[in-house]
Amino acid sequence: MNIPEILVANGTGAVLVCFLFLLRVRGESKNSVGSELFCQMLVVTLLAQATETISFLLDGVPGAASRFWLYLMNTVCTGAAVSVGFAWCLYVDFRVYRSTGRLRRRHLFLGAPLLAVLALLVANLFGTGWIFTISADNVYHRGPLNSLLYLLLFGYYAESVWQVHKAKRDGVTVEFFSVYYFVITCAVGTVLQGAFYGMAFGWLSVAIAFVFVDSQLRSLRSYIDELSGLFGRKYMNYCLERIHATQEKDVYGIMMDVNCFKEINDTYGHGAGDRAIQEIGHILSGALVANSVAIRISGDEFMVLIRHGSEEILNKICAAIEQRVQRYNAAPAGSFQLSFSTGVAKYEGGSVEKFLVELDERMYAEKRAFHAARNGHAVPEQGNAPSISE
């Protein structure tokens, strides 16, 4: 066993992970689900690098204490490997679909095999030897079910690749880094680690893969609005240019303006206004379905753009937004209430400016109705957006 090589490899990987973690903690909005998942993977990777290094240092060291720590460190390191694969699948799914509702459903489906493996690891602590054993002279040996860990890990990698290809096949707009950068790098490191026990290829390759992912995301981040966690106007312009160039059909838009946003700032302060924008980011991202994207255009104006859609999908998203707004307003912790004036329209080809003008006109018609009703002491029903057929 080459201890100096192990220390250099895992030490280098730990430095890379710490660097990426600090960059993301200091430079990204805590509102982003994607950012939270990425940071969680970094923390688990750092923990695995530490436990793997300790297990290598203790391998073959006599004594009951060494035996205890060898079992514990190898269990944590092994569980961390499949946990990162699981979290990676969730991360890819969210980056592709931008839907927290879908993420909750996928969490249950993808988490079942992980829970089974973690149960085997816990049982292994009681001497079953299914995953690994520690011999009488405190040397690590792989157990008969150790290959299941590799199968599950590669299964998670394959699932992430499949999700991206399936999304593209179904017409989902995938503005995402190449999933292969992460998967291939990690797969190579995992194979080498499996083939040459005693060499620390695995977690170093994961750290390098995260560097690749982060470098690509930094180019994508110029499209993201930091406060809301949604895409910004630059991304809207990019999407509309593509729609115009291809004269894409079945494109729907929902334009929204926050009612009385100035009053939130004036009454509760600009910090409350920022929190309102963050809450709206949560509301809209949680209401999305496949082929839809939420955008903060500017200030308190937002848009949901639906590609390859239908009136049924449009109505589903509008209803989901309304329900999530009502749920927020009913919560006792909120100091302010939220509501939108909304306009919807369908892109009929030709100029995208005409599409935007139609959305604006419908939204401001509802805005005028809102203020007229408010001045007459009658609050209109939230979410009563005009039909696209009007």
Side-chain angles (χ1 to χ4, degrees):
M1 189 180 299
N2 192 338
I3 294 298
E5 182 274 337
I6 292 169
L7 293 175
V8 170
N10 279 339
T12 302
V15 169
L16 292 175
V17 169
C18 289
F19 178 70
L20 291 176
F21 183 73
L22 291 174
L23 283 179
R24 299 183 79 83
V25 168
R26 295 178 60 185
E28 287 200 354
S29 169
K30 307 299 185 298
N31 182 47
S32 168
V33 174
S35 179
E36 290 177 4
L37 282 170
F38 195 93
C39 286
Q40 289 171 10
M41 287 190 288
L42 292 179
V43 170
V44 173
T45 300
L46 189 61
L47 175 65
Q49 289 166 336
T51 55
E52 183 186 62
T53 302
I54 293 172
S55 67
F56 277 131
L57 291 173
L58 292 177
D59 197 62
V61 176
S66 296
R67 185 179 184 81
F68 169 80
W69 286 108
L70 278 168
Y71 264 109
L72 183 61
M73 294 297 101
N74 279 290
T75 298
V76 172
C77 184
T78 303
V82 288
S83 297
V84 168
F86 163 71
W88 170 252
C89 281
L90 295 182
Y91 182 73
V92 170
D93 195 274
F94 180 77
R95 285 291 182 181
V96 171
Y97 293 99
R98 311 294 296 184
S99 171
T100 55
R102 175 186 166 87
L103 198 62
R104 283 191 291 270
R105 295 190 297 271
R106 298 282 294 167
H107 183 275
L108 297 174
F109 170 73
L110 294 171
L114 172 63
L115 289 176
V117 165
L118 293 180
L120 288 175
L121 282 170
V122 171
N124 196 82
L125 286 172
F126 294 92
T128 62
W130 291 335
I131 306 299
F132 65 86
T133 58
I134 305 298
S135 65
D137 53 352
N138 285 350
V139 175
Y140 173 94
H141 297 279
R142 292 167 183 163
L145 298 183
N146 191 271
S147 58
L148 286 178
L149 305 176
Y150 290 93
L151 289 175
L152 178 57
L153 186 58
F154 278 92
Y156 280 138
Y157 291 157
E159 168 67 16
S160 67
V161 173
W162 166 248
Q163 279 304 315
V164 172
H165 281 275
K166 182 177 181 296
K168 291 180 178 179
R169 186 191 63 190
D170 293 342
V172 178
T173 302
V174 181
E175 304 302 341
F176 185 61
F177 56 84
S178 173
V179 70
Y180 289 111
Y181 284 9
F182 182 89
V183 169
I184 292 178
T185 305
C186 291
V188 169
T190 302
V191 170
L192 291 175
Q193 182 89 7
F196 303 101
Y197 175 74
M199 305 294 286
F201 295 112
W203 290 109
L204 176 60
S205 70
V206 173
I208 293 172
F210 281 135
V211 172
F212 290 156
V213 171
D214 186 78
S215 64
Q216 289 207 321
L217 287 178
R218 289 190 179 279
S219 63
L220 176 65
R221 205 166 298 146
S222 63
Y223 290 104
I224 302 296
D225 172 65
E226 182 177 358
L227 186 59
S228 66
L230 305 176
F231 285 105
R233 189 183 188 96
K234 181 178 178 182
Y235 185 77
M236 182 191 75
N237 294 336
Y238 167 76
C239 288
L240 292 176
E241 286 173 6
R242 291 184 60 178
I243 290 168
H244 175 69
T246 59
Q247 289 296 288
E248 190 174 314
K249 305 300 181 185
D250 300 322
V251 176
Y252 295 79
I254 308 170
M255 188 80 77
M256 292 166 286
D257 186 87
V258 183
N259 291 324
C260 306
F261 184 70
K262 185 176 184 300
E263 292 184 15
I264 294 175
N265 280 321
D266 292 344
T267 304
Y268 302 102
H270 289 281
D274 288 347
R275 289 197 302 275
I277 297 298
Q278 291 171 346
E279 291 295 339
I280 292 166
H282 283 301
I283 288 168
L284 297 184
S285 64
L288 297 178
V289 298
N291 307 314
S292 61
V293 62
I295 299 164
R296 185 188 181 194
I297 300 174
S298 64
D300 60 341
E301 285 194 7
F302 296 83
M303 180 182 186
V304 173
L305 192 62
I306 308 164
R307 302 174 71 173
H308 311 285
S310 64
E311 287 198 39
E312 180 182 0
I313 293 174
L314 174 71
N315 293 333
K316 180 179 179 180
I317 293 177
C318 287
I321 293 171
E322 180 180 350
Q323 290 169 3
R324 292 176 70 85
V325 169
Q326 291 176 349
R327 195 179 307 137
Y328 169 80
N329 288 337
S335 57
F336 48 80
Q337 299 284 287
L338 293 174
S339 70
F340 297 109
S341 291
T342 306
V344 299
K346 180 181 180 182
Y347 176 65
E348 301 288 357
S351 170
V352 292
E353 285 76 14
K354 179 183 176 182
F355 174 56
L356 293 175
V357 167
E358 188 175 0
L359 285 167
D360 265 336
E361 289 176 347
R362 291 176 182 272
M363 180 187 71
Y364 281 111
E366 185 169 298
K367 193 81 167 178
R368 288 190 293 270
F370 172 85
H371 285 293
R374 189 167 182 256
N375 293 334
H377 306 288
V379 179
E381 183 180 351
Q382 164 65 24
N384 188 24
S387 168
I388 61 174
S389 61
E390 288 183 359

